């Protein structure tokens, strides 16, 4: 029973807590009765964004809702301090990387501000509509090629979403684009979305774009960036670091990244994984279950198992939060979801 994958049970178990066998533990803050709600009181209990992160916010032009940075060698990045994308100017035209739903409609005008070269290509990093839901802005761009993984294209054909244009050119694992004296290397990875993700690399500029991977200054988004494959996610950091890059775009929030940002997110992720594994594997499950059964009886297997998973989650968060709360922004927001994602891997997929 214990090793069966029970998605429904786990979804319930990992999103709430039972009161059995709770221990007091030190924490940087004590949630009030409003915790877990969207009330003003509960929201104010969260830690403000770290000052070191705030100083690196992009300068957003309020007239258009985005900012732009020149990374040199033809590479420009865009952001609205929520999403990020980029484009490459070559002698023969422009290659755009992603078109976020939030400001994608402005990308053609952003390109026109820095060059009179036509937009030749649009590359999709993956399927998620927050990153490519603005591609409809290119619907009437003459001759534009839309390039994506074959599995991404198959998904988009099935969805038939008018805001995510269907790719015109696909590939399986890797593709090298040569245009106007510049090179773009596209490589399939599998750390995030079921349909695959792309590393987008411009070697002449030492520029790398790996969307939904590292969010500079912050912990990853919920569930380790909604990763569908935590095993591959753990490998992702070394895959990123194998590239020679000076500038890095992770697709989200308020700063571009460096190798240091990748290193610290790798450290955080491995700390979460190893802490959860140690706490889970060190728990005397039989004794814990017996104690819970004294309170509720032995026949409610789901509730007993829920109590076990909640204890591992609670104890892991209590240990990890003090180590990271002042190093990365958003620890108190997303750490519980990271612990749950790691716990799923430790419990069902990892080796002992």
């Amino acid at each position: 029973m214990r090793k069966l994958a029970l998605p429904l049970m786990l979804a319930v178990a990992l999103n709430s807590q039972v009161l059995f066998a709770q221990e007091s533990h030190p924490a940087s803050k004590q949630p009030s009765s409003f915790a877990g709600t969207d009330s003003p009181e509960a929201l104010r209990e969260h830690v403000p964004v770290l000052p070191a992160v705030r100083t690196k916010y992009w300068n957003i032009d309020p007239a258009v809702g985005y900012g732009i940075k020149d990374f040199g060698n033809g590479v420009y990045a865009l952001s609205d301090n929520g999403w990020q994308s980029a484009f490459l100017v070559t002698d023969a035209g422009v290659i755009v990387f992603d078109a976020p739903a939030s400001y994608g409609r402005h990308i053609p005008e952003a390109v026109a501000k820095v060059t009179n070269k036509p937009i030749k290509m649009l590359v999709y990093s993956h399927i998620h509509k927050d990153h490519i839901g603005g591609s409809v802005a290119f619907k009437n761009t003459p001759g534009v090629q839309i390039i994506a993984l074959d599995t991404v294209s198959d998904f988009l054909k099935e969805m038939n979403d008018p805001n995510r244009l269907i790719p015109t050119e696909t590939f399986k694992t890797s593709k090298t684009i040569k245009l106007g004296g510049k090179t773009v290397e596209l490589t399939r990875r599998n750390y995030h979305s079921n349909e695959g993700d792309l590393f987008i690399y411009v070697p002449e500029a030492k520029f790398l774009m790996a969307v939904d991977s590292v969010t500079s200054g912050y912990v990853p988004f919920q569930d380790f960036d909604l990763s569908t494959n935590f095993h591959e996610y753990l490998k992702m950091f070394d895959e990123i670091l194998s590239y020679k890059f000076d500038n890095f775009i992770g697709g989200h929030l308020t700063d571009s990244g460096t190798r240091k940002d990748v290193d610290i997110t790798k450290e955080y992720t491995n700390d979460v994984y190893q802490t959860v594994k140690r706490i889970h594997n060190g728990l005397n499950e039989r004794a814990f279950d017996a104690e819970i059964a004294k309170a509720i009886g032995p026949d409610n297997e789901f509730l007993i198992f829920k109590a076990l998973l909640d204890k591992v989650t609670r104890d892991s968060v209590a240990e990890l939060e003090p180590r990271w709360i002042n190093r990365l922004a958003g620890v108190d927001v997303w750490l519980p979801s990271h612990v749950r994602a790691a716990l799923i891997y430790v419990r069902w997929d990892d080796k002992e």
Side-chain angles (χ1 to χ4, degrees):
M1 177 81 174
R2 285 293 183 271
K3 291 296 182 180
L4 290 176
L6 300 170
L8 265 178
M9 175 274 295
L10 185 61
V12 174
L14 295 182
N15 281 285
S16 59
Q17 292 185 345
V18 296
L19 299 178
F20 303 114
Q22 286 192 0
E23 303 85 6
S24 62
H25 55 77
S28 58
K29 60 186 184 308
Q30 294 297 326
S32 72
S33 58
F34 295 100
T37 77
D38 59 356
S39 72
E41 292 85 353
L43 294 174
R44 281 194 292 267
E45 288 183 350
H46 285 285
V47 177
V49 174
L50 299 175
V53 174
R54 284 185 175 277
T55 61
K56 296 180 180 179
Y57 278 24
W58 289 48
N59 183 21
I60 305 302
D61 181 350
V64 296
Y66 65 87
I68 187 167
K69 286 186 179 181
D70 182 355
F71 286 138
N73 288 286
V75 172
Y76 295 82
L78 302 172
S79 177
D80 59 1
N81 279 329
W83 284 264
Q84 300 170 338
S85 63
F87 61 89
L88 173 65
V89 179
T90 81
D91 291 341
V94 177
I95 306 172
V96 176
F97 309 125
D98 277 354
S102 62
Y103 63 80
R105 67 187 182 279
H106 294 299
I107 292 178
E109 70 188 43
V111 170
K113 289 178 181 179
V114 299
T115 182
N116 59 6
K117 300 293 184 183
I119 295 173
K120 293 288 189 179
M121 302 177 189
L122 170 62
V123 176
Y124 288 167
S125 64
H126 65 296
I127 64 166
H128 286 169
K129 57 187 177 183
D130 61 323
H131 291 281
I132 63 172
S135 64
V136 67
F138 299 86
K139 185 175 182 179
N140 297 317
T141 302
V144 67
Q145 297 177 346
I146 302 176
I147 300 171
L149 289 167
D150 54 356
T151 45
V152 168
S153 181
D154 291 343
F155 179 88
L156 294 177
K157 289 175 182 177
E158 182 177 345
M159 293 302 291
N160 194 28
D161 180 355
N163 293 313
R164 288 178 282 180
L165 300 182
I166 302 299
T168 60
E169 184 175 342
T170 65
F171 62 99
K172 290 185 178 297
T173 56
S174 63
K175 179 178 178 64
T176 298
I177 299 171
K178 298 280 189 179
L179 183 69
K182 298 291 174 64
T183 303
V184 179
E185 298 175 2
L186 306 177
T187 305
R188 182 190 185 108
R189 303 295 182 184
N190 297 289
Y191 60 86
H192 170 238
S193 126
N194 281 325
E195 291 72 24
D197 310 278
L198 283 185
F199 281 6
I200 300 169
Y201 182 54
V202 184
E204 293 91 349
K206 292 185 178 179
F207 172 82
L208 179 65
M209 184 169 170
V211 174
D212 288 339
S213 61
V214 173
T215 308
S216 302
Y218 297 79
V219 296
F221 183 63
Q222 177 179 322
D223 300 329
F224 286 112
D225 270 315
L226 307 180
S227 175
T228 59
N229 191 335
F230 190 65
H231 185 68
E232 292 298 321
Y233 189 91
L234 290 170
K235 302 175 185 177
M236 173 194 68
F237 303 102
D238 288 338
E239 292 171 347
I240 291 173
L241 292 168
S242 70
Y243 286 82
K244 294 180 179 179
F245 66 90
D246 293 329
N247 293 294
F248 172 87
I249 288 290
H252 279 291
L253 293 182
T254 57
D255 192 17
S256 54
T258 64
R259 302 183 76 85
K260 182 179 178 181
D261 293 303
V262 180
D263 283 331
I264 193 171
T265 306
K266 175 183 175 181
E267 181 187 351
Y268 170 82
T269 302
N270 284 326
D271 193 14
V272 171
Y273 163 54
Q274 294 295 344
T275 299
V276 170
K277 184 171 184 175
R278 171 171 45 79
I279 289 174
H280 174 272
N281 292 354
L283 182 65
N284 186 332
E285 187 170 332
R286 185 179 297 275
F288 180 85
D289 288 358
E291 189 65 25
I292 296 299
K294 290 179 183 178
I296 65 169
D299 60 337
N300 195 334
E301 285 279 344
F302 275 3
L303 185 55
I304 291 172
F305 193 34
K306 177 183 186 300
L308 174 76
L309 297 174
D310 282 347
K311 175 176 172 54
V312 174
T313 301
R314 188 170 59 248
D315 290 354
S316 298
V317 169
E319 180 179 324
L320 286 158
E321 185 172 289
R323 289 204 288 269
W324 288 97
I325 195 70
N326 293 316
R327 295 187 65 189
L328 290 170
V331 170
D332 59 325
V333 178
W334 295 127
L335 176 58
S337 81
H338 298 155
V339 167
R340 290 192 290 265
L343 178 55
I344 291 171
Y345 177 68
V346 166
R347 179 86 193 181
W348 281 275
D349 301 327
D350 201 8
K351 61 184 179 182
E352 294 297 332

